[in-house]
């Protein structure tokens, strides 16, 4: 493959962890103490709303099946819908559906998605109602061809951008903020396609880890703050893979290479891999909830093991808030590793006082509070002997 273009020096630097004696948690997460407080933007919403999973694969004849497996590995990031887009003979073919990945796809449907280039998405409704037309990836045609897009994140200036586009005549088919990206690409005055993506993304504000597919290209983009994770890997046959978490790479036997840097645009095509700097930002704003809840413990997110982060969270909690107790009980599954760290630091036995039914999905990411409340009753059962 062609040599990769070098990034600007500010983007090429590794992300370092910093510590502060005032707060032990800062030993675990990135410190933002050099960033002026008056630049922080607060959203009037008490719910984390940015979880989805994206996958992109270039250069493997089994792209749709690998995409399916990778989405299965990312199922914890979204359970409302799933979709895959592949490219075959320069035509973008799409299958999407409501429900789990295993409900949406079977052998027959995967047979309908040939090609060596694919993107996929598992949905958790961050913006837009829970309806089939909002299930990604989205595919659209414009005057220079077709493009598919899968997005993990939340665009905080979505309503403003949509209103401006509608004033100029754009017609929207969904209530998802992701559709705005397609319209911005289609109305851009730039050429070639990669510059249209850069032009569109420069207008976006908020969190976006996005994979695009065209007739001959796979493109991955991460917002300048690096809010949401996005990693790149490679299979033994040279196929390039992008995914929200490293657990997806592990399942399809792709070797982790690196994160997509904040503000980076990576283009993969017949010419090899090209890396462009969308816009540099010196201070990443990575979402701590990835390490607390979203990601799987066996993933590496923001360059750090999620398992190790959660274990340290438990140890810090035991130091900051010690209690006189007989046992430590976790709320499974995301609380298990933190509880193990707490128990080890406090010298108290760890016990399973709650048993989780694995036939019930993650109740946090259900679309309504009433469903979440009922889901907890279905998912967690007390072990009365322990309690």
């Amino acid at each position: 493959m062609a040599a990769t273009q070098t990034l600007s020096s500010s983007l090429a630097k590794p992300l370092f962890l910093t510590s502060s004696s005032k707060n032990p948690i800062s030993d675990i997460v990135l410190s933002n103490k050099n960033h002026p407080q008056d630049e922080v933007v607060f959203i009037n919403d008490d719910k984390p709303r940015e979880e989805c999973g994206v996958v992109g694969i270039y250069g493997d004849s089994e792209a749709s099946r690998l995409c399916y497996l990778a989405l299965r590995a990312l199922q914890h990031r979204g359970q409302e819908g799933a979709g895959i887009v592949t490219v075959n003979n320069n035509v973008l073919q799409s299958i999407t559906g409501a429900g789990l990945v295993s409900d949406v796809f079977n052998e027959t449907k995967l047979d309908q998605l040939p090609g060596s280039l694919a993107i996929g998405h598992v949905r958790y409704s961050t913006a837009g109602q829970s309806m089939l037309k909002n299930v990604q990836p989205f595919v659209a045609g414009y005057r220079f061809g077709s493009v598919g897009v899968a997005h993990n994140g939340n665009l905080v200036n979505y309503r403003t951008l949509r209103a401006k586009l509608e004033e100029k005549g754009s017609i929207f088919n969904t209530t998802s903020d992701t559709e705005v990206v397609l319209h911005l690409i289609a109305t851009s005055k730039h050429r070639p396609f990669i510059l249209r993506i850069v032009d569109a993304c420069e207008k976006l504000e908020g969190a976006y880890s996005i994979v695009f597919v065209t007739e001959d290209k796979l493109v991955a983009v991460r917002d300048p703050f690096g809010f949401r994770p996005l990693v790149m890997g490679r299979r033994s046959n040279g196929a390039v893979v992008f995914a929200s978490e490293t657990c997806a790479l592990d399942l399809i036997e792709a070797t982790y290479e690196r994160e997509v840097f904040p503000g980076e645009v990576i283009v993969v095509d017949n010419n090899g891999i090209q890396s462009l700097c969308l816009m540099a930002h010196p201070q990443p704003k990575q979402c701590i909830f990835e390490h607390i809840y979203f990601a799987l413990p066996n993933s590496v997110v923001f360059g750090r093991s999620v398992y190790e982060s959660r274990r340290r969270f438990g140890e810090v909690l035991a130091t900051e808030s010690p209690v006189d107790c007989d046992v430590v009980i976790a709320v499974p599954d995301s609380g298990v590793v933190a509880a193990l760290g707490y128990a080890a630091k406090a010298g108290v036995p760890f016990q399973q006082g709650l048993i989780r039914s694995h036939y019930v999905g993650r109740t946090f990411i259900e679309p309504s509070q009433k469903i979440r409340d009922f889901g907890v009753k279905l998912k967690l059962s007390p072990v009365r002997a322990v309690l």
Side-chain angles (χ1 to χ4, degrees):
M1 285 190 169
T4 303
Q5 259 184 262
T6 57
L7 287 168
S8 65
S9 59
S10 61
L11 277 181
K13 294 178 181 178
L15 305 179
F16 292 101
L17 296 173
T18 60
S19 62
S20 168
S21 59
K22 294 182 180 180
N23 184 4
I25 290 295
S26 64
D27 291 334
I28 305 171
V29 301
L30 283 169
S31 169
N32 295 323
K33 61 184 178 181
N34 295 323
H35 196 67
Q37 183 65 30
D38 58 4
E39 293 184 24
V40 178
V41 178
F42 294 95
I43 308 299
N44 185 24
D45 190 344
D46 63 352
K47 299 183 292 296
R49 295 170 53 84
E50 299 176 350
E51 182 181 17
C52 286
V54 299
V55 176
I57 298 173
Y58 182 95
D60 197 297
S61 59
E62 297 291 323
S64 65
R65 283 167 170 77
L66 292 172
C67 200
Y68 166 81
L69 292 171
L71 291 178
R72 289 289 297 266
L74 297 175
Q75 186 73 86
H76 59 285
R77 299 187 69 87
Q79 300 162 9
E80 292 183 34
I84 295 175
V85 173
T86 59
V87 181
N88 186 41
N89 295 325
N90 294 325
V91 176
L92 273 64
Q93 300 170 301
S94 173
I95 292 179
T96 60
L100 302 177
V101 178
S102 57
D103 296 329
V104 176
F105 294 98
N106 54 34
E107 192 68 23
T108 300
K109 288 187 177 179
L110 291 174
D111 285 339
Q112 298 170 21
L113 295 171
S116 60
L117 177 54
I119 61 173
H121 188 269
V122 286
R123 171 178 166 76
Y124 157 56
S125 59
T126 56
Q129 301 171 19
S130 299
M131 56 183 71
L132 182 58
K133 67 181 181 181
N134 283 327
V135 177
Q136 300 180 40
F138 295 150
V139 178
Y142 69 115
R143 57 179 175 156
F144 296 116
S146 298
V147 57
V149 58
H151 168 215
N152 170 212
N154 200 21
L155 305 179
V156 297
N157 64 336
Y158 153 69
R159 296 186 184 280
T160 302
L161 291 173
R162 177 165 176 156
K164 290 180 180 178
L165 288 164
E166 287 177 330
E167 287 177 3
K168 295 178 181 179
S170 292
I171 298 174
F172 285 80
N173 186 51
T174 76
T175 59
S176 170
D177 55 354
T178 307
E179 191 177 5
V180 164
V181 182
L182 289 174
H183 284 269
L184 291 174
I185 291 172
T187 57
S188 173
K189 304 299 182 183
H190 292 267
R191 294 187 67 180
F193 175 73
I194 184 59
L195 295 183
R196 302 175 81 91
I197 287 182
V198 171
D199 182 44
C201 289
E202 286 177 343
K203 297 178 174 66
L204 304 179
E205 296 176 9
Y208 54 91
S209 288
I210 310 177
V211 288
F212 297 93
V213 67
T214 68
E215 291 89 346
D216 63 348
K217 289 179 175 58
L218 174 63
V219 182
V221 185
R222 196 167 172 214
D223 71 71
F225 291 94
F227 284 114
R228 305 250 67 78
L230 189 63
V231 297
M232 181 173 69
R234 199 184 301 265
R235 282 172 49 81
S236 59
N237 61 359
V240 177
V241 181
F242 296 101
S244 293
E245 291 183 37
T246 58
C247 62
L249 303 182
D250 296 337
L251 183 62
I252 62 173
E253 298 180 336
T255 302
Y256 169 81
E257 291 198 347
R258 66 175 177 87
E259 286 191 328
V260 176
F261 296 117
E264 184 181 17
V265 182
I266 300 179
V267 185
V268 188
D269 58 19
N270 288 333
N271 296 319
I273 301 177
Q274 181 184 18
S275 176
L276 304 173
C277 177
L278 177 65
M279 57 182 80
H281 197 285
Q283 192 63 251
K285 297 292 182 184
Q286 301 159 345
C287 176
I288 188 57
F289 219 63
E290 289 286 348
H291 277 268
I292 293 172
Y293 180 84
F294 284 162
L296 284 186
N298 57 308
S299 286
V300 175
V301 173
F302 306 140
R304 185 183 180 94
S305 164
V306 176
Y307 184 98
E308 288 301 315
S309 290
R310 290 182 186 167
R311 183 182 59 82
R312 286 284 294 123
F313 289 154
E315 292 175 351
V316 170
L317 183 62
T319 302
E320 290 186 339
S321 303
V323 294
D324 183 14
C325 60
D326 301 309
V327 296
V328 176
I329 294 173
V331 178
D333 281 326
S334 56
V336 170
V337 180
L340 288 170
Y342 189 104
K345 189 70 172 179
V348 176
F350 171 87
Q351 294 274 9
Q352 281 191 285
L354 293 170
I355 301 299
R356 177 188 168 181
S357 168
H358 288 274
Y359 298 100
V360 180
R362 300 184 90 175
T363 48
F364 172 83
I365 59 176
E366 294 294 346
S368 71
Q369 185 60 46
K370 287 184 178 179
I371 296 177
R372 282 194 290 270
D373 291 342
F374 185 70
V376 169
K377 296 179 182 179
L378 288 174
K379 185 173 77 169
L380 299 175
S381 301
V383 181
R384 299 189 183 277
V386 173
L387 299 180

